[in-house]
Amino acid sequence: MKPTRIPALLLAIGCVAAATGVLAQTAAHRMTTPIPPGIAMPDEVQTRLGTLKFFDGFPDAQTVDRIYDNLDFQRAVQAYLLGLAPVNMAGLREGLLSVGPANVTIPTFEDNMNARSLFLTANATTPYTWVWINLHDGPLVVEVPPMTLGMIDDFWFKYVTDIGIVGPDKGKGGKYLLLPPGYKGEVPAGYMVVRVPTFESILVWRNMPVKGDIRPAIENLHKKTRIYPLARAANPPPNSFVNVSNRAFSTVAPADDRFWELLNAVVQSEPVESLDPVTLGFFAAIGIEKGKPFKPDERMKRILTEAAAVGDATARTLTYKSRIPEAFYYPNSTWRQWLGGYRFQSQRGVAHLDAAAFFYFYATGVTPAMEAKMVGQGSQYAVGLLDSQGNPLDGGKTYRLRVLPNAPVKDFWSAIVYDNQTRSMLQTDQDFPQVSSLDKGLTTNADGSVDIYFGPKSPAGLERNWVQTLPGKGWNMLFRLYGPLDPWFDKTWKLSEIERLD
C-alpha cells in the first residue's frame, strides 16, 4: 500500500493549531483528539539561549547544537559544585604528599600553623596533625595518642568516624584498625575497627594542651603515634614525624582546568559504591567515569573551562553573599553559621546544596561535632564576611569588633583573619593574623569588653588588639569559641557586628 501524502495546506493548518495548543478536527482525520494547552511546542521559542526553532516539535540543527552545548555546560557547572568536596580533598592530598609518603609520614604543626602555610580556614591556636591514609594495599593500624580531638573523612569528604575525646577511644588513645572497601578478610581482636568507604582518606586531629602547655601533647605524639600495615603488626616499620610549622606549602586545590583532572583522579581511585549514582552521573556526563580515560575534545574543553570559571564564581557567591535567611546567627546580622549539619541536609534525606558548596569551598573537616551542642566542649564558629552595613571587608580600611564582657567560653575565644582568595590565613607581617583571649598584654575595656581592630595600621598603643590587613586586598574572619557555654547557644550573649571606623 502506498503511503498517503498529507496536503501541504492541511499540514500547515495542523502546525499552527498545534502551536496554539488545540488541533482542530478536519474531515480528513476521523481519529483526532483535542490537545490540551501546554503540550505542543511552538515553532519558535525565545530563551536565554537565543531563538530555538522547531518543525512540529522537532528541533532544527542549530537548536540541537545550542541545547547540547547548554546541557553539557549546565551539567559541568553542577559537577563542579558537587566536585568541590573531593577536589578539596585532592588538594589536601597533593600538599601532604609533598611532605612525605602516605601512611608513613606524620606531618604536625608542632608550633601551631602560621600564615606561611595555605590551608582552608585553619586555626592558629591548637597544633594539628594531618595524615594522608591510603588503603589500596590493605588494612592499616593507627595508634592514636591520648588527648586528641579529630576525625577520619573519606575521599569524597564524607564523615567516617571521630577519634580522640569524642571518638571511640574517649581521649585515652588506642589502636584503630582501618579496613578498605570490600574487605572480607579476618578482623583480629583488640582494635577499634573502622570500615572506610574509600581507599584514600584524611586522618586529622588537634593535639590538646595540658593546662595550657602543649609540650606533653607533642611528646605523646612522638611516643605513642604509630601507623603501619596490619600485615606488619608484629614488626611495625618506623614512621617519619615532620614538623611542618612555618612551612611554605599549599593544600588548597586549584579552581581552574586542573580542577577536572583532580576530580578525575578521585573518581578513578575509588569504588563506584562509595558515592551516590546521581553525583557520579553528573561526573560521567562530562566524561569523568570510573575505568574510562578522561579525554574531552576541543568543544568540551571550552565548555569545561567556562564551567570552571562559573563554578568558582558560584561557590564564591554562595559563600560571600548568601541569600538564605537561616544562614545567619541573628536577625539583621552578618554573622554566618554552618547549615545542614555534617551531612549537609536541609531536612533528613534532602541535600542542602548551597550549604555543602559553602563549606567545601571555605573549610575542611567534617564531623557531627560541628553541629552538636556540646556545652563546655569542642568549639563553635561564627563566619564574618561583611561589615555591619553588609559591605565587603576592605583591607585598606579600619574596622573594630567589640567582644562583649563575659564571653561564653570555658576555655578561650579567637578571631582569625583569612584571605578571600585563598581562604587561608592572611599573609602580612604578622605570623599569626589573630587576636585571642589567651594573648598576653591584651587591652581590656573598663566594662570587661575587648576591642579587636583590623586595618593596615595599628591604633596607637593597641598593637596587641590589632590584626594587620592590606590595602587592595579583601579579607574575612572566623570567630571561634572553645568550650562554648549556654549563653552562646541560647543567644543571650550576642556577637557584635564588625564596624568600619573610617
Side-chain angles (χ1 to χ4, degrees):
M1 177 180 286
K2 293 183 178 181
T4 303
R5 178 173 295 175
I6 302 175
L9 179 59
L10 287 179
L11 179 61
I13 292 173
C15 290
V16 172
T20 62
V22 179
L23 184 63
Q25 279 188 316
T26 68
H29 298 88
R30 264 189 330 111
M31 302 301 292
T32 303
T33 302
I35 300 177
I39 294 177
M41 169 66 78
D43 288 347
E44 292 190 356
V45 182
Q46 302 299 325
T47 73
R48 65 175 57 199
L49 307 180
T51 302
L52 305 180
K53 297 182 179 181
F54 301 84
F55 171 70
D56 195 27
F58 195 103
D60 69 6
Q62 187 178 51
T63 295
V64 169
D65 289 343
R66 286 181 177 179
I67 290 296
Y68 277 125
D69 282 350
N70 179 62
L71 181 62
D72 289 340
F73 177 73
Q74 285 186 6
R75 286 176 171 167
V77 171
Q78 293 306 315
Y80 188 99
L81 296 175
L82 293 168
L84 283 170
V87 173
N88 183 333
M89 281 288 282
L92 275 169
R93 181 183 187 275
E94 284 201 340
L96 294 175
L97 294 187
S98 73
V99 177
N103 305 338
V104 175
T105 312
I106 303 176
T108 301
F109 291 89
E110 296 186 13
D111 304 307
N112 289 336
M113 187 187 302
N114 65 19
R116 195 177 300 278
S117 303
L118 299 182
F119 274 70
L120 293 181
T121 54
N123 78 61
T125 49
T126 54
Y128 287 109
T129 293
W130 298 80
V131 181
W132 190 256
I133 298 297
N134 189 329
L135 301 176
H136 278 288
D137 293 331
L140 203 65
V141 177
V142 177
E143 297 185 18
V144 176
M147 292 306 294
T148 65
L149 180 64
M151 74 217 56
I152 296 174
D153 291 334
D154 73 14
F155 212 168
W156 304 115
F157 229 137
K158 295 182 183 296
Y159 168 77
V160 178
T161 187
D162 287 305
I163 64 165
I165 296 170
V166 296
D169 67 281
K170 305 300 181 186
K172 297 178 182 178
K175 295 181 180 181
Y176 287 79
L177 178 59
L178 310 186
L179 301 179
Y183 181 76
K184 293 180 170 47
E186 182 182 353
V187 180
Y191 297 96
M192 291 169 280
V193 178
V194 180
R195 292 187 178 272
V196 186
T198 57
F199 288 105
E200 298 187 60
S201 59
I202 187 70
L203 166 63
V204 57
W205 69 73
R206 300 173 187 169
N207 299 280
M208 306 305 289
V210 178
K211 296 181 180 180
D213 186 359
I214 195 58
R215 287 175 297 179
I218 299 303
E219 289 173 4
N220 275 332
L221 172 78
H222 285 270
K223 290 179 181 178
K224 300 183 179 181
T225 304
R226 292 292 180 270
I227 302 175
Y228 48 87
L230 176 62
R232 300 189 63 182
N235 186 25
N239 290 116
S240 173
F241 292 84
V242 182
N243 183 359
V244 289
S245 289
N246 199 38
R247 189 182 183 112
F249 73 118
S250 174
T251 63
V252 180
D256 57 13
D257 284 344
R258 278 204 63 220
F259 182 98
W260 306 115
E261 298 295 339
L262 291 176
L263 178 59
N264 181 60
V266 183
V267 169
Q268 299 307 326
S269 171
E270 303 305 337
V272 294
E273 296 81 11
S274 63
L275 194 62
D276 67 277
V278 174
T279 300
L280 287 173
F282 272 103
F283 298 160
I286 60 170
I288 296 177
E289 191 170 3
K290 176 79 171 181
K292 297 182 179 180
F294 175 49
K295 293 184 177 180
D297 58 21
E298 290 305 314
R299 167 188 164 275
M300 199 63 194
K301 286 180 181 178
R302 290 193 298 271
I303 288 174
L304 291 174
T305 296
E306 184 181 3
V310 172
D312 186 38
T314 303
R316 290 176 180 275
T317 300
L318 293 172
T319 298
Y320 296 134
K321 290 289 287 187
S322 176
R323 62 182 180 181
I324 306 171
E326 60 269 27
F328 301 91
Y329 267 109
Y330 322 103
N332 303 314
S333 173
T334 63
W335 288 105
R336 289 280 298 276
Q337 60 183 328
W338 309 131
L339 286 177
Y342 73 101
R343 295 184 186 277
F344 303 106
Q345 296 181 344
S346 57
Q347 57 179 291
R348 186 175 181 181
V350 180
H352 199 314
L353 300 176
D354 289 1
F358 164 37
F359 185 88
Y360 289 119
F361 174 78
Y362 188 72
T364 55
V366 180
T367 167
M370 66 185 286
E371 67 171 334
K373 177 182 177 180
M374 298 189 297
V375 178
Q377 299 182 55
S379 53
Q380 287 283 305
Y381 309 83
V383 189
L385 304 165
L386 305 166
D387 69 15
S388 59
Q389 303 303 309
N391 298 314
L393 299 167
D394 182 345
K397 308 300 180 183
T398 301
Y399 300 83
R400 180 185 65 197
L401 169 62
R402 175 161 291 171
V403 182
L404 297 177
N406 304 312
V409 292
K410 180 175 70 67
D411 300 320
F412 65 96
W413 55 257
S414 72
I416 305 182
V417 170
Y418 301 100
D419 184 325
N420 282 347
Q421 293 284 21
T422 66
R423 293 87 71 202
S424 302
M425 292 184 207
L426 187 66
Q427 296 184 326
T428 63
D429 295 323
Q430 296 176 320
D431 288 346
F432 304 100
Q434 73 164 355
V435 170
S436 164
S437 61
L438 295 177
D439 293 346
K440 296 179 180 179
L442 203 62
T443 298
T444 302
N445 299 323
D447 65 353
S449 63
V450 176
D451 289 336
I452 307 173
Y453 295 90
F454 310 89
K457 294 183 179 180
S458 166
L462 294 169
E463 290 79 9
R464 297 286 186 178
N465 292 50
W466 167 67
V467 180
Q468 183 182 9
T469 60
L470 302 174
K473 189 144 201 62
W475 58 276
N476 64 84
M477 66 160 292
L478 271 173
F479 189 88
R480 289 176 169 90
L481 301 94
Y482 291 89
L485 301 176
D486 276 322
W488 172 255
F489 294 105
D490 63 25
K491 299 181 181 178
T492 54
W493 186 91
K494 184 178 178 181
L495 188 58
S496 303
E497 298 295 307
I498 303 171
E499 297 179 289
R500 179 174 159 181
L501 299 182
D502 61 2

